[in-house]
């Protein structure tokens, strides 16, 4: 609780010191003859500075205490925010709405480090402290965001005043007023940027997914009586709308008006658009759109529509079909995912293997407002079952052949793959990155999460529906649409390895999965790992001795060979990405290091969770040659082979011989042993005394989870 209290105190201090510690950034620089307070109204931020008295802040000016009522959330991973607007008794509201960009932090969920605590809702009155911004450039959308303007840090300050306030009235406009082309409508649309707006019908869908500026879940609508004025509907940002058909009738559409220069759906076209907040913000006489499907239990699949569906057709089993039903899969029940009626839960029996790719097809389902408007055919792909982190990390065999180790669930290149559900225990959060591990630990047992719907609490177990991708060479899951806290979990014991293995960025074509395969950093990416008895070595460039809490290099080489000014072979960076790490590393120290193995900028590095993950070895190191687990077999090939090995510390030892099929042929040493150098011999007989036969064999040495494998040919 101390750390939470400290952070809350810091937030309060930020507010209290707005006119003192923040004075260096005080708004506005402005004209010398004008005096403006830091506490402004939304109107002053949105309206151009046409008079001396208006006090319009420039870009990146500090603004403190901007107040409004929350009207909508951008709660879709992984860049979050919300809109707020001032409410007036006479209904007039030009220049009274604005976007509050909160980056990697979703204030629609719990944010315990914020003065508000998060869990904000539409109708909450809030006060915001931050800086002004125009996204993505001049003539874009006006925003308030955190002072450092970095998405991953949660430095914006938001205080909640009260809840349950009536929302400002919708401004009912015309298609001419909201024409999507700024050159036509800037004078009439700009005053309503960030505000609640509405268009009443009759309206028609004019263009979808063709031509510049319209793609994905965006579409253009017109009023039949004024077809020259097109309005862009953005069904991508605040909610996901299925794309209607050209000519479909629309009774009304409402939402937040904004201006963007670019989005995932409209390329680089600068345009105004109306953003519906949910399927309830549009009344369209067309079938509901199927927008997602994913497992929420091993035998339960959640199917998501873009609006509320008809309670009769939507609950009929024959309306839903699995591609694998031809192979024996079946759907045994369908029910609303209460309290929502835009989602259903299918109870399924799958004939496919766990982790296979599946397709759901929906047809004949009507919407709640138009039961007769039934779907033709809609399909969504998803991965079956609840996956482990190890399954997400499992390599795609098609790419291993070309020495590329990437998840078989990732999309092409840097694109996201098919929707999947994965379960794991939270280990640590580093900025906008959080790590899940399998409780059992082991091979490829960790994965990084970007932009979670809500902060993950370490030691809690979670189930999340996400998509996988390869981001800069690291397997990552993002675009989270479902998060379930499964209660207390157990963080796995760290996997003990060497610097050489964890820093190895090459690819083993077997994916490291066969006995005796060469292990690389990829096999431990995202997992909790440990290095024992490693030496701190100097950087080759200043600062050679990093400051307390800074990053440092370690190596398995003896201390006499480290710290010479040039990093020795097999070094790895211990990167203090967490503010909880204050350890002051000095060259030639011998330390034990625990942390998450993270891949960034072409290299692996270890991210300690806090200072307890770095322990200084002050005594008992002994002979330098005994500090590293080692295994050597000679002669190779040979009739009888000598196995020399080093146990660096007292521990449970298991030395065994395996054949090419992974069967244990002989156990040469097993049990608790003190640190030291040892020698064993193997004459080629198995544990039953039979001659094993000539061929290649694998020799594996394990000491308390740390492992070495060597291979040699036996001749008989």
């Amino acid at each position: 609780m101390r750390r939470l209290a400290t952070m809350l105190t810091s937030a309060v201090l930020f507010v209290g010191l707005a006119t003192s510690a923040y004075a260096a950034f005080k708004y506005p620089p402005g004209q010398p003859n004008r005096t403006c307070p830091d506490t402004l109204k939304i109107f002053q931020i949105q309206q151009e500075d046409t008079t001396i008295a208006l006090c319009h802040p420039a870009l990146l000016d500090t603004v403190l205490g901007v107040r409004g009522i929350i009207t909508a959330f951008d709660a879709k991973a992984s860049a979050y925010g919300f809109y707020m607007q001032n409410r007036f008794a006479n209904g007039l509201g030009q220049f009274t709405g604005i976007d509050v960009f909160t980056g990697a932090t979703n204030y629609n969920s719990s944010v315990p480090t914020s003065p508000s605590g998060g869990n904000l809702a539409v109708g909450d009155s809030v006060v915001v402290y931050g800086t002004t911004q125009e996204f993505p450039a001049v003539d874009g959308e006006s925003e308030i965001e955190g002072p450092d303007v970095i998405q991953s840090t949660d430095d914006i300050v938001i205080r909640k005043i009260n809840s349950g306030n009536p929302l400002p009235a919708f401004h009912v406009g015309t298609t001419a007023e909201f024409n999507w082309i700024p050159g036509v409508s800037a004078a009439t649309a700009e005053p309503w940027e960030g505000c609640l707006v509405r268009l009443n019908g009759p309206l028609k869908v004019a263009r979808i997914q063709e031509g510049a500026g319209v793609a994905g879940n965006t579409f253009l609508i017109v009023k039949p009586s004024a077809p020259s004025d097109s309005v862009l509907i953005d069904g991508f940002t605040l909610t996901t709308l299925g794309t209607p058909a050209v000519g479909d009738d629309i009774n009304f559409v409402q939402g937040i008006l904004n201006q963007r220069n670019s989005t995932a759906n409209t390329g680089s076209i600068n345009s105004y658009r109306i953003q519906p907040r949910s399927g309830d913000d549009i009344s369209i006489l067309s079938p509901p759109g199927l927008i997602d499907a994913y497992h929420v239990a091993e035998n339960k699949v959640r199917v998501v529509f873009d609006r509320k569906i008809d309670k009769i057709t939507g609950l009929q089993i024959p309306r839903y079909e699995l591609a694998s039903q031809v192979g024996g899969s079946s759907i045994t029940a369908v029910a609303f995912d209460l309290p929502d009626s835009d989602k259903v839960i299918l109870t399924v029996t799958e004939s496919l293997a766990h982790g296979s790719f599946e397709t759901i097809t929906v047809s004949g389902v009507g919407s709640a407002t138009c039961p007769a408007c039934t779907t033709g055919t809609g399909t969504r792909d998803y991965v079956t079952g609840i996956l482990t982190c190890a399954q997400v990390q499992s390599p795609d065999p098609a790419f291993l052949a070309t020495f590329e180790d990437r998840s078989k669930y990732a999309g092409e290149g840097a694109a996201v793959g098919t929707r999947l559900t994965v379960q794991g225990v939270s280990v640590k959060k580093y900025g906008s990155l959080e790590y899940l591990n399998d409780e059992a630990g082991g091979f490829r047992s960790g994965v990084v999460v970007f932009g979670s719907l809500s902060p993950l609490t370490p030691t809690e177990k979670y189930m999340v529906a996400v998509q996988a991708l390869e981001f800069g060479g690291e397997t990552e899951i993002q675009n989270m649409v479902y998060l379930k806290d499964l209660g207390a979990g157990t963080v796995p014991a760290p996997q003990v390895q060497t610097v050489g293995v964890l820093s190895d960025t090459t690819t083993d074509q077997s994916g490291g999965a066969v006995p005796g395969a060469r292990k690389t950093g990829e096999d431990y990416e995202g997992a909790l790992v440990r290095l024992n008895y490693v030496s701190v070595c100097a950087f080759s460039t200043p600062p050679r001795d990093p400051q307390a809490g800074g990053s440092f290099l370690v190596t398995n080489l003896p201390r006499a060979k480290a710290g010479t000014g040039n990093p020795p072979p097999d070094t790895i960076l211990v990167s203090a990405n967490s503010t909880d790490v204050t350890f002051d590393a000095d060259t030639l120290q011998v330390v034990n290091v625990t942390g998450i193995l993270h891949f960034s900028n072409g290299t692996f590095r270890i991210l300690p969770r806090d200072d307890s993950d770095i322990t200084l070895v002050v005594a008992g190191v002994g002979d330098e040659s005994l500090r590293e687990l080692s295994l050597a077999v000679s002669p190779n090939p040979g009739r009888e082979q000598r196995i020399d090995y080093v146990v660096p510390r007292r521990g449970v030892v298991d030395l065994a011989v395996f054949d090419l099929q992974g069967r244990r042929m002989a156990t040469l040493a097993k049990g608790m042993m003190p640190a030291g150098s040892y020698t064993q011999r193997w004459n080629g007989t198995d544990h039953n005394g039979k001659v094993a036969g000539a061929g290649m064999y694998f020799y594996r040495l394990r000491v308390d989870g740390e492992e070495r494998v060597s291979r040699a040919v036996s001749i008989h």
Side-chain angles (χ1 to χ4, degrees):
M1 291 299 292
R2 178 175 296 176
R3 178 168 179 264
L4 175 59
T6 300
M7 300 185 79
L8 288 174
T9 301
S10 298
V12 173
L13 284 174
F14 173 82
V15 177
L17 298 177
T19 58
S20 56
Y22 241 63
F25 306 101
K26 186 176 180 180
Y27 161 79
Q31 301 176 24
N33 63 333
R34 110 179 129 180
T35 301
C36 295
D38 283 318
T39 302
L40 303 177
K41 295 181 172 60
I42 295 175
F43 180 85
Q44 292 167 304
I45 299 174
Q46 283 284 23
Q47 172 63 288
E48 292 183 0
D49 197 357
T50 55
T51 69
I52 292 176
L54 190 56
C55 294
H56 173 71
L59 292 182
L60 301 181
D61 264 344
T62 303
V63 290
L64 307 174
V66 183
R67 183 168 178 169
I69 296 171
I70 296 178
T71 56
F73 282 93
D74 182 353
K76 296 174 67 174
S78 51
Y80 301 105
F82 60 84
Y83 287 87
M84 65 178 186
Q85 187 174 347
N86 297 136
R87 184 168 57 87
F88 294 93
N90 60 8
L92 297 177
Q94 287 189 345
F95 300 108
T96 58
I98 197 164
D99 180 24
V100 179
F101 180 68
T102 58
T105 305
N106 181 12
Y107 276 80
N108 194 213
S109 186
S110 174
V111 187
T113 56
S114 166
S116 70
N119 291 317
L120 299 178
V122 170
D124 286 350
S125 175
V126 295
V127 179
V128 177
Y129 305 78
T131 60
T132 61
Q133 180 64 284
E134 195 82 359
F135 178 79
V138 177
D139 294 329
E141 179 176 32
S142 298
E143 296 179 339
I144 302 173
E145 61 178 291
D148 67 3
V149 200
I150 298 175
Q151 179 172 334
S152 60
T153 58
D154 180 26
D155 61 338
I156 194 168
V157 176
I158 300 169
R159 291 192 298 113
K160 178 178 173 181
I161 304 302
N162 51 45
S163 300
N165 296 284
L167 299 190
F170 285 92
H171 169 66
V172 180
T174 66
T175 54
E177 191 176 9
F178 300 145
N179 190 304
W180 74 313
I181 301 174
V184 174
S185 61
T188 55
E190 186 66 24
W192 301 105
E193 179 187 277
C195 296
L196 289 167
V197 299
R198 178 181 173 107
L199 283 175
N200 289 324
L203 303 161
K204 280 191 176 292
V205 177
R207 180 154 70 84
I208 60 172
Q209 299 186 1
E210 56 184 49
V214 181
N217 302 94
T218 63
F219 52 95
L220 291 175
I221 63 172
V222 297
K223 199 171 188 70
S225 59
S228 61
D229 290 307
S230 299
V231 178
L232 182 66
I233 307 302
D234 180 350
F236 172 81
T237 304
L238 304 186
T239 190
T240 302
L241 296 178
T243 307
V246 172
D248 278 351
D249 293 314
I250 297 175
N251 291 327
F252 71 85
V253 61
Q254 62 189 27
I256 303 291
L257 185 73
N258 85 335
Q259 181 183 9
R260 293 278 174 88
N261 280 0
S262 63
T263 70
N265 281 340
T266 59
S268 59
I269 302 298
N270 186 319
S271 58
Y272 289 103
R273 72 280 309 279
I274 295 176
Q275 305 170 116
R277 301 163 298 171
S278 70
D280 294 334
D281 270 348
I282 186 168
S283 175
I284 183 169
L285 301 181
S286 67
L290 175 62
I291 60 174
D292 220 334
Y294 46 86
H295 273 268
V296 292
E298 287 293 346
N299 68 332
K300 304 286 186 182
V301 176
R302 174 187 266 182
V303 178
V304 184
F305 296 89
D306 66 350
R307 72 199 83 153
K308 295 175 181 177
I309 61 172
D310 173 38
K311 293 183 178 180
I312 297 178
T313 56
L315 298 181
Q316 295 175 351
I317 292 177
R319 309 291 184 180
Y320 305 87
E321 183 176 2
L322 303 175
S324 62
Q325 283 183 227
V326 295
S329 295
S330 62
I331 300 172
T332 58
V334 55
F336 278 121
D337 189 11
L338 298 175
D340 302 317
S341 59
D342 59 349
K343 305 176 184 70
V344 298
I345 300 292
L346 305 181
T347 302
V348 302
T349 302
E350 284 278 5
S351 63
L352 296 176
H354 186 276
S356 299
F357 293 95
E358 177 66 283
T359 300
I360 179 78
T361 299
V362 180
S363 59
V365 173
S367 69
T369 56
C370 184
C373 302
T374 57
T375 56
T377 300
T379 63
R380 296 296 295 185
D381 298 328
Y382 63 92
V383 177
T384 60
I386 310 300
L387 304 188
T388 63
C389 298
Q391 286 177 297
V392 176
Q393 279 281 12
S394 61
D396 189 334
F399 287 91
L400 283 177
T402 58
F403 295 94
E404 186 177 359
D405 195 322
R406 53 183 289 126
S407 170
K408 64 182 179 181
Y409 297 111
E412 294 184 11
V416 295
T418 303
R419 180 74 69 196
L420 58 86
T421 305
V422 62
Q423 179 176 298
V425 61
S426 173
V427 178
K428 178 66 177 178
K429 175 180 173 66
Y430 305 90
S432 58
L433 301 181
E434 302 178 81
Y435 283 85
L436 289 179
N437 276 202
D438 293 326
E439 285 187 293
F443 190 64
R444 293 180 178 254
S445 58
V447 68
V448 61
V449 182
F450 175 73
S452 174
L453 287 172
S454 182
L456 306 181
T457 303
T459 74
E460 286 290 295
K461 188 162 54 176
Y462 294 94
M463 180 192 301
V464 295
V466 289
Q467 291 172 286
L469 77 160
E470 293 295 321
F471 184 81
E474 183 173 40
T475 301
E476 179 180 286
I477 53 177
Q478 61 170 246
N479 293 346
M480 188 183 295
V481 295
Y482 176 80
L483 170 64
K484 183 177 182 180
D485 190 335
L486 301 176
T490 302
V491 174
Q495 301 178 70
V496 181
Q497 257 304 340
T498 65
V499 171
V501 169
L502 297 184
S503 62
D504 190 346
T505 60
T506 61
T507 299
D508 178 79
Q509 285 188 299
S510 72
V514 301
R518 180 174 62 85
K519 297 296 190 291
T520 69
E522 187 74 31
D523 300 320
Y524 301 93
E525 179 187 276
L528 194 62
V529 297
R530 181 178 174 88
L531 292 172
N532 285 325
Y533 298 93
V534 289
S535 297
V536 177
C537 50
F539 290 104
S540 58
T541 57
R544 296 185 187 278
D545 182 13
Q547 63 183 2
S551 300
F552 56 93
L553 289 168
V554 295
T555 179
N556 279 123
L557 291 181
R559 282 178 289 174
K561 296 182 182 179
T564 58
N566 291 310
D570 290 344
T571 62
I572 193 168
L573 185 69
V574 179
S575 184
N577 277 30
S578 171
T579 56
D580 297 325
V581 177
T582 61
F583 181 80
D584 189 2
D586 290 321
T587 304
L588 302 183
Q589 283 179 335
V590 176
V591 294
N592 299 328
V593 178
T594 299
I596 292 290
L597 187 66
H598 169 59
F599 188 80
S600 178
N601 297 319
T603 61
F604 286 104
R605 65 275 314 275
I606 294 176
L607 310 180
R609 294 164 294 178
D610 52 44
D611 280 334
S612 67
D613 272 346
I614 308 172
T615 57
L616 180 64
V617 180
V618 295
V621 177
D623 185 354
E624 293 289 350
S625 65
L626 300 183
R627 290 196 303 102
E628 183 175 356
L629 186 70
S630 67
L631 173 67
V633 181
S634 62
N636 182 16
R639 185 174 299 278
E640 180 178 277
Q641 274 140 339
R642 168 176 165 159
I643 300 94
D644 296 296
Y645 61 103
V646 170
V647 178
R649 61 198 173 280
R650 178 179 174 82
V652 178
V653 175
D654 183 6
L655 176 63
V657 183
F658 298 83
D659 65 11
L660 289 173
Q661 284 72 48
R663 295 173 296 193
R664 183 185 285 254
M665 305 304 295
T667 299
L668 306 181
K670 192 173 182 68
M672 183 67 70
M673 295 173 63
S677 298
Y678 298 88
T679 297
Q680 296 285 350
R681 294 184 182 274
W682 187 52
N683 60 6
T685 59
D686 66 15
H687 48 75
N688 293 318
K690 297 175 59 177
V691 176
M696 179 176 289
Y697 292 89
F698 296 100
Y699 300 76
R700 188 195 70 191
L701 171 65
R702 277 185 178 171
V703 179
D704 292 339
E706 189 175 358
E707 182 179 294
R708 294 289 181 277
V709 176
S710 185
R711 52 188 171 186
V713 175
S714 179
I715 303 172
H716 298 288

